[in-house]
Amino acid sequence: MEKLLCGVDIGGTKCAIALVNTEGKIIDKINTCAHVNLNEDGLVKLVAEQIKELIQRNQLQETDLQGIGMGCAGHIRFRDGVIITTSNLKGFKNYPLRDAMQKYFKIPVILDNDANAQAFGAYKFGAGKGYDDMVFLTISTGIGAGIVINKKLFRGATGTAGEVGHTIVEPHTELTCTCGNKGCLMAMACGMALPFLYQKKIKEGKKSKLNIPPHFDISKLSGQYLKKGLDMDDPVSKEIISDSAYYVGLGIYNIFQTLNPPLIVLGGGLTNWGDFYLGKIKATFYELARDMIFDPIKIVISNIGADAGVIGAAALTLE
Amino acid sequence: MEKLLCGVDIGGTKCAIALVNTEGKIIDKINTCAHVNLNEDGLVKLVAEQIKELIQRNQLQETDLQGIGMGCAGHIRFRDGVIITTSNLKGFKNYPLRDAMQKYFKIPVILDNDANAQAFGAYKFGAGKGYDDMVFLTISTGIGAGIVINKKLFRGATGTAGEVGHTIVEPHTELTCTCGNKGCLMAMACGMALPFLYQKKIKEGKKSKLNIPPHFDISKLSGQYLKKGLDMDDPVSKEIISDSAYYVGLGIYNIFQTLNPPLIVLGGGLTNWGDFYLGKIKATFYELARDMIFDPIKIVISNIGADAGVIGAAALTLE
């Protein structure tokens, strides 16, 4: 019997733990939110217990698993399996998460950044199948990337390669990123920019059909709201989505000039904006790239779906 | 006896052909400008004859050479050895330069982009020695990069990876690149931007000590002029050099976030601006990178010197 994979996707609100087969299909899964209020060691114990629960309730042995892959947002020192910093969880500064989890298991435990995990999932099980090189870009609350070169993740000196969201594309803007710099790609284009962009359009006198009540906490204006706006043909929502698409298209163009990959896969919540969004992204990219494309480049939305994080984490065990 | 390397650096005004030893030292060299007015096949014949002349006058056989490496500015389809486009030479559109040269020799001929050649030279013989990964950035009339990953050049799908000069870092500017886009790194920072930047400062009412005569063709204002200005403490020259350094520093920051390399080597004519320039570049980089650097990153000016092009081309035979 081919071994199963175990994936753990540690998010800021939800932690998903799953058994995944070598085709990338989920066999069984546990979602928990209980990790949020635990300290480092408490979180590790909880996740380890859930993994053991999954093994037991599927009548498996630990050795039926290839390994345990964990994905977590933040800066990860890959070789050492250490979370350097993460904004998803309290604490976890320079925390050796991989080794802490390894104490509970004999099979290998791997820890990587969530964008890298999703990239490797897309490479193994999704749109990247059959390619040697590709770039995965996740457009969500933030923007991150995973770079596959010669069938492996390229991680750089520390393990933080692919932080494309922090590349600066508009230095003379008022939009500031969580990192403190102005005009990072993620400050301009992703979920965290939406409230600012909405307020700006309204201040410019634009009328939105969204009818957001005056007492609404505008910092909670999410991609889902704008999706509603898009569906009701709201001009303000469409303008914001177009603005985001412009910068994502520009970011993809910069990746293209730097790495010349044959494939760029887009994931993350904002890709739910669908064809309107992808169309604008591609239009910007092709307008900038013009006659500098000499081989086909494919830009697609990931087909892995909502479980991309945990499936990607599981994929790390196959690298 | 260890084999020698042959390098050919085909520039827009000068073509250098050299025998180089495996330490990266030039044994013998021919410079010619006669290639400029020749057609494709004429240039190949000329260069082949000069290589044979070098072999003969050093009492060597062709088989005493490891191979012939050629570097040329422009878009190169590496696998096929084809110049797709080059702005350095008339013609040469989709010209199979490698195979045309190979007809004259039995030893292997390799063709790559000049920035890649210089990158590999810096990796083999210069500041990159001992590293597995590095990025080389040449700041000259244009800006280009060569990316070394796992001891080899990373070229991407076509062979055009490393075109960092065309990444867009200031989309809402009036500065237009030769590619037609606004705000490419090379439009903002390199040799081709200097006349525009100088005129802008003068229009703003700034006084330069350079005393450029009114009939001077301002499009010829080069880095060397501004070096004179820097040496005489001219405030306008220093401002332009600082502006260039800002964007180069930002470009290096973007490379850092994307590839997380342990080493970035700077080459090209504008590095002759020296410590003032490098200091400003580094200041910008560290101001942007702040607490996001977790392992040492070295930023240095290449120590290969004026022959970096032809020595780098020779280094390609060692890849």
Side-chain angles (χ1 to χ4, degrees):
Chain A
M1 190 186 89
E2 225 174 3
K3 293 199 172 189
L4 290 176
L5 324 174
C6 177
V8 180
D9 180 32
I10 306 170
T13 51
K14 198 189 78 177
C15 179
I17 302 142
L19 298 180
V20 175
N21 70 14
T22 50
E23 323 274 66
K25 297 281 164 272
I26 288 184
I27 303 298
D28 195 3
K29 188 172 79 161
I30 294 173
N31 284 333
T32 177
C33 301
H35 71 300
V36 176
N37 296 310
L38 298 175
N39 69 5
E40 292 88 342
D41 294 346
L43 180 143
V44 173
K45 186 161 177 284
L46 171 75
V47 171
E49 282 168 2
Q50 307 278 41
I51 293 173
K52 285 177 195 288
E53 159 74 13
L54 276 177
I55 291 173
Q56 201 176 20
R57 80 185 188 194
N58 286 276
Q59 284 101 46
L60 297 166
Q61 307 289 324
E62 190 188 319
T63 48
D64 292 326
L65 304 184
Q66 172 82 18
I68 298 163
M70 293 192 290
C72 183
H75 290 116
I76 310 281
R77 190 181 291 282
F78 176 75
R79 266 185 316 251
D80 303 340
V82 167
I83 297 184
I84 304 172
T85 60
T86 175
S87 50
N88 261 4
L89 303 163
K90 278 168 284 183
F92 284 88
K93 232 176 148 56
N94 289 313
Y95 181 73
L97 176 59
R98 185 195 62 196
D99 288 356
M101 186 63 74
Q102 189 68 71
K103 289 200 180 106
Y104 290 87
F105 299 95
K106 288 185 207 77
I107 54 173
V109 176
I110 295 156
L111 169 69
D112 207 340
N113 171 275
D114 60 340
N116 276 357
Q118 286 184 61
F120 211 67
Y123 164 68
K124 271 287 171 192
F125 305 130
K129 256 200 256 186
Y131 284 82
D132 289 348
D133 304 328
M134 62 164 269
V135 175
F136 174 86
L137 195 70
T138 171
I139 316 157
S140 177
T141 314
I143 288 182
I147 301 168
V148 176
I149 287 182
N150 205 12
K151 305 180 184 185
K152 286 184 166 270
L153 284 164
F154 177 73
R155 297 181 171 94
T158 301
T160 58
E163 286 287 354
V164 170
H166 286 302
T167 61
I168 295 175
V169 295
E170 190 75 272
H172 297 101
T173 179
E174 27 182 353
L175 273 161
T176 304
C177 177
T178 48
C179 75
N181 286 330
K182 284 186 193 306
C184 303
L185 184 57
M186 75 164 96
M188 305 308 296
C190 73
M192 70 165 85
L194 301 180
F196 177 91
L197 293 174
Y198 183 82
Q199 283 173 307
K200 195 163 175 240
K201 303 281 176 201
I202 298 302
K203 267 188 210 146
E204 286 166 7
K206 285 167 184 160
K207 297 270 176 272
S208 167
K209 293 186 191 171
L210 277 177
N211 277 325
I212 289 180
H215 57 276
F216 179 80
D217 176 2
I218 202 74
S219 75
K220 296 219 157 60
L221 188 93
S222 66
Q224 281 157 313
Y225 269 88
L226 295 184
K227 175 76 171 86
K228 277 185 218 159
L230 182 64
D231 290 343
M232 63 171 78
D233 204 29
D234 169 43
V236 169
S237 301
K238 285 169 87 173
E239 265 190 44
I240 295 170
I241 292 170
S242 299
D243 289 355
S244 167
Y246 168 77
Y247 284 104
V248 171
L250 192 156
I252 289 175
Y253 172 72
N254 284 354
I255 291 170
F256 161 72
Q257 288 290 8
T258 306
L259 294 172
N260 184 206
L263 172 70
I264 294 180
V265 180
L266 307 179
L270 297 197
T271 57
N272 290 327
W273 286 339
D275 285 345
F276 178 83
Y277 191 47
L278 184 63
K280 296 265 175 190
I281 289 171
K282 283 187 173 180
T284 300
F285 170 76
Y286 285 106
E287 199 183 310
L288 294 170
R290 276 170 295 116
D291 58 351
M292 290 179 274
I293 304 176
F294 307 110
D295 284 289
I297 174 166
K298 225 170 134 180
I299 302 169
V300 298
I301 290 180
S302 175
N303 55 4
I304 303 250
D307 287 315
V310 72
I311 292 172
L316 290 172
T317 64
L318 295 175
E319 197 188 357
Chain B
M1 192 184 91
E2 223 173 4
K3 293 201 174 189
L4 290 176
L5 323 173
C6 178
V8 180
D9 180 33
I10 306 169
T13 52
K14 197 188 79 177
C15 179
I17 303 140
L19 298 181
V20 175
N21 71 15
T22 50
E23 322 274 64
K25 297 281 166 270
I26 288 184
I27 304 299
D28 196 2
K29 187 172 78 160
I30 293 172
N31 284 332
T32 178
C33 300
H35 71 301
V36 175
N37 295 310
L38 298 174
N39 69 5
E40 293 87 343
D41 294 345
L43 181 143
V44 172
K45 187 162 177 281
L46 172 75
V47 171
E49 281 168 3
Q50 307 278 39
I51 294 172
K52 286 177 195 287
E53 158 74 15
L54 277 176
I55 292 173
Q56 200 176 21
R57 80 186 190 194
N58 286 277
Q59 282 100 47
L60 297 166
Q61 307 289 325
E62 190 188 319
T63 48
D64 293 324
L65 304 184
Q66 173 83 18
I68 298 163
M70 293 191 291
C72 183
H75 291 114
I76 310 281
R77 189 181 292 282
F78 176 75
R79 268 185 315 253
D80 303 340
V82 167
I83 297 183
I84 305 172
T85 60
T86 175
S87 49
N88 261 3
L89 303 163
K90 279 167 283 180
F92 284 88
K93 232 178 150 55
N94 288 313
Y95 181 72
L97 178 58
R98 185 195 64 196
D99 288 355
M101 186 64 74
Q102 189 67 73
K103 289 201 179 106
Y104 290 88
F105 299 96
K106 287 184 208 77
I107 54 173
V109 176
I110 295 156
L111 169 70
D112 207 340
N113 171 275
D114 59 341
N116 277 357
Q118 286 184 61
F120 210 67
Y123 164 68
K124 272 284 169 191
F125 305 131
K129 257 200 257 186
Y131 284 82
D132 288 350
D133 304 327
M134 61 164 271
V135 175
F136 175 87
L137 195 69
T138 173
I139 316 156
S140 178
T141 314
I143 288 182
I147 301 167
V148 175
I149 288 181
N150 205 13
K151 305 181 185 185
K152 286 185 166 271
L153 284 165
F154 177 72
R155 298 181 171 93
T158 302
T160 58
E163 285 287 353
V164 170
H166 286 302
T167 61
I168 294 175
V169 294
E170 190 74 273
H172 297 101
T173 179
E174 28 183 351
L175 272 161
T176 305
C177 177
T178 48
C179 76
N181 287 330
K182 284 187 194 304
C184 302
L185 184 57
M186 75 163 96
M188 305 307 295
C190 73
M192 70 166 84
L194 301 179
F196 177 92
L197 294 173
Y198 183 83
Q199 284 172 306
K200 193 162 176 239
K201 304 281 177 199
I202 298 302
K203 267 188 211 144
E204 286 166 7
K206 285 168 185 159
K207 296 271 175 272
S208 167
K209 292 187 193 172
L210 277 177
N211 276 325
I212 289 181
H215 57 277
F216 179 80
D217 177 3
I218 203 75
S219 75
K220 297 220 155 62
L221 189 94
S222 66
Q224 282 157 312
Y225 269 88
L226 295 183
K227 176 76 171 85
K228 276 184 220 163
L230 181 63
D231 291 342
M232 65 171 77
D233 204 32
D234 169 44
V236 169
S237 301
K238 285 169 87 173
E239 265 190 44
I240 296 170
I241 292 171
S242 299
D243 289 355
S244 167
Y246 168 77
Y247 284 104
V248 171
L250 192 157
I252 289 176
Y253 172 73
N254 284 355
I255 292 170
F256 161 73
Q257 289 290 9
T258 306
L259 293 173
N260 184 205
L263 172 69
I264 295 180
V265 180
L266 307 179
L270 297 196
T271 57
N272 290 326
W273 286 339
D275 285 345
F276 177 84
Y277 191 48
L278 184 63
K280 297 264 174 190
I281 289 170
K282 283 187 173 180
T284 301
F285 171 75
Y286 285 107
E287 200 183 310
L288 294 170
R290 278 170 294 115
D291 58 351
M292 289 179 274
I293 304 176
F294 307 110
D295 284 290
I297 174 166
K298 226 170 133 180
I299 302 169
V300 297
I301 289 180
S302 175
N303 55 4
I304 304 251
D307 287 315
V310 71
I311 292 172
L316 291 173
T317 63
L318 294 175
E319 198 188 356

